[in-house]
Amino acid sequence: TVRGILATKGRDVVTISPNRTLADAALVLSERGLGALVVVGSPDEVIGILSERDIVRSVAARGPGALGETVGQNMTADVVTTVESATVQTVMAQMTDGRFRHVPVLDGGKLAGIVSIGDVVKYRLAEMESEQQALREYIATA
Ligand code: AMP
């Protein structure tokens, strides 16, 4: 489940306000080594998501001047989210269907974490390894 991933990676989410500029967002993404920022209105109220792709798309379309535009003008407002009880399988399907790599986690409508495609791959690898180990032990003792 999503809860299992958050238990390992933690529940901290780097957020940004919609009135900051894309230049500000690029700096945060670069400094924190992230691919996306959750855009919040009042604390923990998710109003959008801004990924590195949105910045690249805007600069490609309108040139470096786009870096002066606001996060609010360039974010995706229709955010697909999940909850802690959801299965990792469901989140993988959301990412594949929507072609994005980040899914914020909500708890009672409030931001409670984020799962990236990297987190999902890490979790699946660990799961596959422990499955393999269990099979090996089963064969050895059969
Ligand atoms: P990503 O692959 O996460 O870097 O994002 C690719 C595109 O999808 C960008 O335009 C993002 O704003 C958008 N996006 C990212 N995550 C989500 C999400 N959970 N729900 C909706 N759109 C998203």
Side-chain angles (χ1 to χ4, degrees), residues 49 51 53-54 57 76 78-80 100-104:
I49 188 160
S51 105
R53 293 239 170 124
D54 299 315
R57 191 185 300 128
T76 301
D78 198 3
V79 188
V80 175
F100 44 69
R101 299 164 293 179
H102 303 87
V103 179

Side-chain angles (χ1 to χ4, degrees), residues 8-140:
T8 316
K9 72 163 278 201
R11 287 172 170 75
D12 284 352
V13 186
V14 181
T15 60
I16 193 161
S17 130
N19 51 26
R20 302 278 294 282
T21 64
L22 290 192
D24 292 335
L27 192 65
V28 179
L29 288 172
S30 168
E31 279 178 352
R32 309 293 289 261
L34 301 171
L37 299 170
V38 174
V39 187
V40 292
S42 54
D44 294 343
E45 190 218 341
V46 177
I47 60 170
I49 188 160
L50 183 92
S51 105
E52 54 195 351
R53 293 239 170 124
D54 299 315
I55 300 177
V56 169
R57 191 185 300 128
S58 302
V59 170
R62 297 182 293 283
L67 291 170
E69 296 172 10
T70 66
V71 166
Q73 288 170 316
N74 289 275
M75 70 186 189
T76 301
D78 198 3
V79 188
V80 175
T81 60
T82 189
V83 289
E84 292 206 29
S85 58
T87 63
V88 174
Q89 198 87 29
T90 313
V91 177
M92 283 169 70
Q94 285 176 311
M95 287 180 175
T96 309
D97 293 346
R99 293 174 183 275
F100 44 69
R101 299 164 293 179
H102 303 87
V103 179
V105 184
L106 299 188
D107 182 6
K110 299 277 182 197
L111 186 59
I114 189 164
V115 174
S116 77
I117 201 160
D119 301 325
V120 170
V121 170
K122 195 173 157 190
Y123 182 89
R124 282 292 294 146
L125 273 178
E127 200 176 49
M128 279 156 60
E129 268 160 26
S130 71
E131 272 168 17
Q132 231 179 49
Q133 179 69 22
L135 276 174
R136 265 199 222 101
E137 281 165 16
Y138 174 75
I139 291 164

